[in-house]
Amino acid sequence: MKNKTIIVSNRLPLNVFLEDTGEVKVSPSVGGLATGMKSIHQNSESLWIGWAGIPSDEIDESTTKEIKNLAYNENCISVPLSEEEIEEYYFGFSNRVLWPLFHYFMEYVDYDENHWKTYKKVNEKFAETILEYLDDGDKVWVHDYQLLLVPQLIKEKRPDVSVGFFLHIPFPSYEIFRTLPWREEILEGILGADLIGFHTYDYERHFISSVSRVLHYDTNINSIHAGSRIIKVDSFPMGIDYEKFHQEAEKQKNKNEKTLLKTRLEQNRALAPDAKFILSIDRLDYTKGIAKRLEALEYFLEKYPEYNEKVRLIMLAVPSRENVPQYQQLKKEVDELVGKINGKFSTATWVPVWYFYRSLPFEELIELYTSCEIAFLTPIRDGMNLVAKEYIASRTDQTGVLILSEMAGVAQEMNDALLINPNDYNQMAEALKTALEMPLEEQISRNQILQKRIKRYNVEKWASAFMEALNSTTQLKEEKLTRFLGKSNFEKIISKFKASQSRIFLLDYDGTLTAYHKNPEKAVPSYELYNVLNQLIQNQVEIIIISGRDRAFLDRHFGHLPIQLVAEHGVWIKNSGSKWKMSQNLQKDWMESIRPIIENFVDRTPGSFLEEKEYSLVWHYRKVAPGLRDIRSNELSNVLRGLLANSNIAVMQGNKVLEVKSGSINKGNAANAFLTRPYDFIFTIGDDWTDEFMFQQVPEHAVSVKVGTTETDAKYFVENQTSVISLLKGFLVE
Ligand code: GDG
């Protein structure tokens, strides 16, 4: 059987109707997501998991079964949810916490511990259903803010499965996100995915910043290192089914029979042929800026009275989330504003706002798109805003002006629209005037550019780009798997170890034999570590600890053992029972001039400090705020490299440290100093950039192991520091 893709969203792409007779009717819905996924449905087997839209306690068992069967015919699996679950998971946590918070409406957020519990429970329910239908080799693509915990719930049970997650709404900045009481769980939930997609780079950036600040994971431009896993983060601006909109608009041009809406629109046009229609379409949602849009229109009509009777706002507000108090309040506010504006400006032959509070069939939606000379879309925040793309796609003659909020994700792709700040009435009023007066040639030239992009990067491209990116994370994983030092790779190594006569282990200390600690003095060896080192020694293993630490620290913790020590990356060497020796003649005079530069960075960078070793200076910046961390470490590294360009002093970037020291000193040279005898088993392990010198310089037959999953010259890798001791113990098994 072909591998399948499991698509998961809160709602199934189905309309389920219960007839008065009790008969159930199911028809596929034609929303943007369903269209986008069509190609994935067709190219591979696919299953869609979600709620069918009817609370399970409102229907009897046989109806539930019937819905299930009918949904299955459409390749859909329905997750039954009770009225209470919908109330608390969907209207509660999703739409009274996540939706307002992620759209920066903090004052609307209503935390309720029970709603959170139900959110978790429903996410678990979704995950259980997915796991039930999941076969080896399947991929899972989870959608949107109602299901943030699902990726992790899948990954925990099935780490082998590739999971993608796409967020359709904005991801807010860290300063907003950090206020969420369950911020860690939410982030960990999303991070169960191998690929996380957003509409824009800004949302991606905000997400990565929250992960690094809340969870302290290492992050890169578009990847996150969470323990052993590398998670890809990227932006995929969602497109529309361009041809569907364009063709319907084209079809309507040549059609004789008209809908009532179209007839009325034309009659109005005939009454005032030079008046223009301004379109506004959204779900009635406080994020869409509907009230401010009306106020901007009022301001415009006052400021430019010559446009009275020359414009009409046709406003379609689709009922949405009527159970949530803020939506009821907004409905009232909009009703009142429309009444106020119409009352204030209407004449015997003209009403400035035509207001529809309902949803329209697709055909009429297109009629609105094609009949209105201007689209006035002014969300306060919007993940993307597909209406903007649909309006442009429907303008077959390429006329029309799009006024668009710069706060909508779509604005980043639509520079040729008139971009406005939805909080600036004056700018919005001026944009209306510009739009009303814009020459046709300019409208056409702007729309040509817009159409070209929307046509090319349509919803199918969006879905396939996401799936391709998810597939490439899978390939990456497979490639990595061959170098992972798991059971099978270790078996090969241990047989060589057992057969060997002379054995040497070159071990890094921080991040390898012990975990990092905010205070380096507290990163001390555990009892377990001493134990395993002692046993290795008894097994005729020669042990060398090669560290960046100073002599005193290594003496304090390892001086009593019959092992050899290397301090300061190779400046000092100590054979067991002897004194410390310098590995070569080193200069110190450069330190005088470099010290004040680093001290200056310490003063300017809270959380950083300078460690002075005998022959090196180390700037530690682990505790510096992420973001500032990268800026300052790059800056200092550039300054120092510039100053030291013609000397043999090198600047080395370690794990959250910058070390300045003699260029000929590195762990590779230090390791080689011990490899004078022909050892038949050489083992070396380290976690850091500085350990790469060892991996590069040890002989070909050596077993080199990197701790962590970043790029390395080592032959193998283990997931993290916690697996190192058990790896070493593996050599002790008889
Ligand atoms: C979320 C994010 C993001 C509207 N009225 C009617 C109707 N519609 C259709 C439109 C459009 C869709 O609904 C609305 O999509 P938007 O993107 O504008 O907004 P949200 O519903 O808030 O969607 C948003 C989106 O997810 C996708 O990721 O862009 O930012 O908030 O397709 O055509 N369709 C019909 N009758 C109507 O009356 N038939």
Side-chain angles (χ1 to χ4, degrees):
M1 200 183 96
K2 232 174 154 187
N3 293 332
K4 63 181 182 298
T5 302
I6 298 185
I7 303 156
V8 195
S9 65
N10 171 52
R11 279 294 301 271
L12 284 175
L14 292 177
N15 296 317
V16 180
F17 306 99
L18 279 184
E19 305 270 310
D20 290 342
T21 55
E23 207 190 332
V24 185
K25 287 253 166 70
V26 167
S27 64
S29 71
V30 281
L33 192 58
T35 317
M37 293 299 166
K38 214 157 62 189
S39 53
I40 292 167
H41 265 272
Q42 282 159 359
N43 294 339
S44 62
E45 293 260 331
S46 127
L47 209 54
W48 198 311
I49 293 179
W51 181 51
I54 298 183
S56 55
D57 38 10
E58 269 182 18
I59 44 177
D60 58 25
E61 219 174 285
S62 76
T63 316
T64 309
K65 230 184 214 159
E66 210 181 332
I67 293 181
K68 196 176 168 184
N69 292 339
L70 289 169
Y72 197 74
N73 292 342
E74 307 288 337
N75 280 345
C76 290
I77 303 296
S78 67
V79 181
L81 298 178
S82 70
E83 189 155 6
E84 194 185 359
E85 283 172 330
I86 287 295
E87 185 54 40
E88 299 191 342
Y89 138 84
Y90 180 73
F91 291 111
F93 194 74
S94 300
N95 286 316
R96 291 173 75 168
V97 175
L98 296 175
W99 179 271
L101 189 75
F102 281 32
H103 286 88
Y104 295 70
F105 280 79
M106 285 182 73
E107 67 280 20
Y108 286 0
V109 175
D110 183 7
Y111 297 119
D112 182 323
E113 187 74 32
N114 279 333
H115 291 179
W116 163 242
K117 283 189 184 143
T118 309
Y119 182 85
K120 283 208 284 193
K121 201 176 101 196
V122 171
N123 271 246
E124 279 158 17
K125 225 175 186 181
F126 269 82
E128 278 160 24
T129 313
I130 298 164
L131 291 166
E132 193 183 322
Y133 288 91
L134 192 68
D135 294 309
D136 288 350
D138 288 354
K139 295 191 169 59
V140 181
W141 185 358
V142 183
H143 289 266
D144 228 1
Y145 66 104
Q146 302 90 349
L147 302 173
L148 298 177
L149 307 178
V150 169
Q152 185 189 26
L153 293 166
I154 302 297
K155 196 52 100 184
E156 275 169 0
K157 294 267 164 53
R158 292 294 303 266
D160 57 310
V161 170
S162 286
V163 182
F165 176 79
F166 189 84
L167 186 70
H168 288 262
I169 66 174
F171 194 92
S173 93
Y174 163 69
E175 288 299 339
I176 298 282
F177 183 76
R178 70 193 298 203
T179 60
L180 185 64
W182 305 280
R183 58 202 179 181
E184 287 90 357
E185 282 117 306
I186 297 274
L187 289 178
E188 291 286 10
I190 303 173
L191 289 175
D194 301 287
L195 172 68
I196 300 168
F198 299 94
H199 282 305
T200 72
Y201 174 65
D202 281 337
Y203 309 154
E204 177 189 340
R205 207 162 51 76
H206 292 157
F207 175 72
I208 290 180
S209 144
S210 286
V211 168
S212 91
R213 282 151 203 262
V214 175
L215 300 177
H216 308 291
Y217 288 154
D218 274 350
T219 58
N220 254 322
I221 310 162
N222 64 352
S223 62
I224 294 168
H225 294 246
S228 61
R229 299 179 49 234
I230 297 181
I231 296 144
K232 286 272 162 220
V233 186
D234 212 340
S235 55
F236 303 87
M238 187 173 174
I240 59 161
D241 185 351
Y242 182 89
E243 291 308 331
K244 185 174 133 195
F245 286 87
H246 200 76
Q247 279 164 11
E248 174 65 25
E250 200 65 61
K251 198 171 96 195
Q252 285 184 8
K253 265 199 218 162
N254 312 316
K255 221 162 79 175
N256 287 331
E257 85 258 31
K258 294 189 174 89
T259 63
L260 186 58
L261 176 74
K262 181 79 177 170
T263 313
R264 286 276 180 276
L265 285 167
E266 286 182 356
Q267 282 168 352
N268 265 274
R269 170 111 36 228
L271 283 176
D274 58 341
K276 287 188 173 159
F277 292 158
I278 303 168
L279 177 66
S280 144
I281 295 186
D282 333 71
R283 277 182 308 100
L284 190 76
D285 195 299
Y286 50 81
T287 61
K288 303 287 183 181
I290 301 169
K292 288 199 168 157
R293 188 179 311 161
L294 284 166
E295 281 163 357
L297 176 76
E298 183 183 7
Y299 180 73
F300 169 78
L301 291 173
E302 264 165 10
K303 190 171 178 186
Y304 298 109
E306 64 273 27
Y307 275 105
N308 282 230
E309 302 203 320
K310 294 277 175 2
V311 293
R312 163 162 296 152
L313 182 73
I314 299 179
M315 192 169 90
L316 175 64
V318 180
S320 178
R321 302 171 199 165
E322 290 162 285
N323 291 17
V324 179
Q326 279 95 24
Y327 289 72
Q328 295 157 3
Q329 220 173 295
L330 175 68
K331 166 79 174 52
K332 200 162 157 263
E333 192 187 348
V334 170
D335 284 353
E336 284 171 7
L337 264 171
V338 172
K340 182 181 147 204
I341 296 171
N342 281 345
K344 191 164 162 187
F345 297 97
S346 289
T347 62
T349 52
W350 175 66
V351 182
V353 185
W354 265 15
Y355 173 34
F356 301 85
Y357 179 61
R358 71 181 93 120
S359 85
L360 296 179
F362 179 67
E363 206 186 0
E364 292 184 5
L365 183 78
I366 302 298
E367 282 171 355
L368 287 185
Y369 285 149
T370 52
S371 306
C372 295
E373 286 87 354
I374 295 167
F376 193 29
L377 306 175
T378 61
I380 309 291
R381 292 273 164 189
D382 211 338
M384 171 54 70
N385 193 302
L386 298 178
V387 172
K389 292 188 173 181
E390 294 168 4
Y391 174 72
I392 295 296
S394 309
R395 305 297 302 179
T396 49
D397 63 0
Q398 296 183 326
T399 64
V401 183
L402 174 61
I403 303 175
L404 182 60
S405 163
E406 61 193 44
M407 309 297 170
V410 72
Q412 311 211 347
E413 294 172 76
M414 295 190 127
N415 266 321
D416 288 278
L418 294 181
L419 298 182
I420 51 93
N421 175 347
N423 301 301
D424 185 341
Y425 299 114
N426 198 39
Q427 197 191 16
M428 283 195 274
E430 290 307 316
L432 279 174
K433 188 161 183 291
T434 310
L436 288 161
E437 291 168 5
M438 188 183 283
L440 279 181
E441 309 79 68
E442 185 180 343
Q443 296 179 21
I444 292 170
S445 78
R446 284 172 182 259
N447 291 339
Q448 265 170 353
I449 303 170
L450 291 172
Q451 280 190 349
K452 201 170 158 202
R453 178 180 164 89
I454 304 169
K455 187 176 177 182
R456 196 181 60 239
Y457 195 78
N458 61 15
V459 70
E460 257 186 50
K461 284 261 168 57
W462 167 78
S464 58
F466 186 91
M467 283 314 285
E468 270 165 34
L470 184 60
N471 288 340
S472 67
T473 68
T474 317
Q475 282 154 15
L476 202 77
K477 265 193 297 188
E478 278 159 10
E479 191 265 330
K480 274 237 141 114
L481 231 48
T482 60
R483 288 168 67 198
F484 173 62
L485 195 46
K487 200 162 173 269
S488 66
N489 275 331
F490 193 69
E491 272 165 10
K492 287 181 237 158
I493 292 168
I494 196 75
S495 59
K496 282 191 195 151
F497 175 77
K498 282 185 180 157
S500 63
Q501 303 295 320
S502 52
R503 305 153 168 182
I504 186 167
F505 279 30
L506 304 148
L507 311 172
D508 165 49
Y509 178 68
D510 289 286
T512 302
L513 297 182
T514 190
Y516 286 103
H517 195 285
K518 278 187 180 166
N519 177 354
E521 276 305 308
K522 294 208 168 136
V524 296
S526 63
Y527 169 77
E528 230 189 342
L529 172 61
Y530 284 133
N531 209 357
V532 75
L533 290 179
N534 276 321
Q535 290 189 58
L536 284 169
I537 295 162
Q538 281 162 27
N539 274 269
Q540 281 78 50
V541 176
E542 216 176 289
I543 300 230
I544 327 283
I545 292 184
I546 304 191
S547 170
R549 293 275 185 161
D550 61 18
R551 289 177 292 167
F553 181 91
L554 294 181
D555 258 343
R556 236 183 351 267
H557 298 290
F558 296 105
H560 61 292
L561 293 179
I563 62 180
Q564 313 190 67
L565 301 173
V566 174
E568 296 186 27
H569 297 277
V571 174
W572 298 98
I573 293 179
K574 185 183 184 189
N575 294 318
S576 67
S578 348
K579 286 198 170 146
W580 285 99
K581 276 191 318 222
M582 233 172 128
S583 64
Q584 49 186 279
N585 267 339
L586 293 171
Q587 304 298 319
K588 287 177 92 164
D589 47 355
W590 59 271
M591 292 171 95
E592 279 314 300
S593 51
I594 297 300
R595 185 183 300 108
I597 295 168
I598 302 183
E599 277 168 350
N600 177 276
F601 271 74
V602 170
D603 294 342
R604 289 169 53 217
T605 317
S608 72
F609 66 93
L610 168 67
E611 181 191 2
E612 284 206 40
K613 298 187 189 173
E614 258 172 291
Y615 290 92
S616 65
L617 294 173
V618 190
W619 185 63
H620 290 256
Y621 59 94
R622 179 168 301 279
K623 283 189 268 183
V624 176
L628 180 64
R629 195 145 75 186
D630 299 337
I631 295 171
R632 287 287 153 79
S633 63
N634 284 336
E635 196 185 336
L636 179 56
S637 159
N638 285 339
V639 169
L640 295 175
R641 288 204 166 111
L643 282 171
L644 298 166
N646 297 318
S647 70
N648 74 336
I649 306 301
V651 183
M652 285 174 50
Q653 178 85 58
N655 192 329
K656 310 289 182 297
V657 296
L658 269 187
E659 177 140 15
V660 191
K661 60 181 183 52
S662 162
S664 55
I665 293 293
N666 66 49
K667 288 187 176 182
N669 290 339
N672 269 336
F674 291 94
L675 298 175
T676 45
R677 283 207 282 139
Y679 291 93
D680 53 5
F681 190 88
I682 304 171
F683 176 82
T684 171
I685 185 165
D687 71 306
D688 203 340
W689 188 84
T690 58
D691 299 310
E692 294 295 321
F693 287 106
M694 281 202 290
F695 304 149
Q696 286 154 8
Q697 294 194 31
V698 286
E700 182 52 35
H701 70 283
V703 174
S704 50
V705 183
K706 163 91 175 175
V707 181
T709 47
T710 46
E711 264 320 294
T712 181
D713 280 321
K715 279 190 193 141
Y716 300 100
F717 72 92
V718 291
E719 292 187 350
N720 47 38
Q721 190 276 325
T722 48
S723 30
V724 175
I725 301 287
S726 47
L727 172 66
L728 293 177
K729 276 188 189 163
F731 288 103
L732 303 171
V733 180
E734 277 313 304

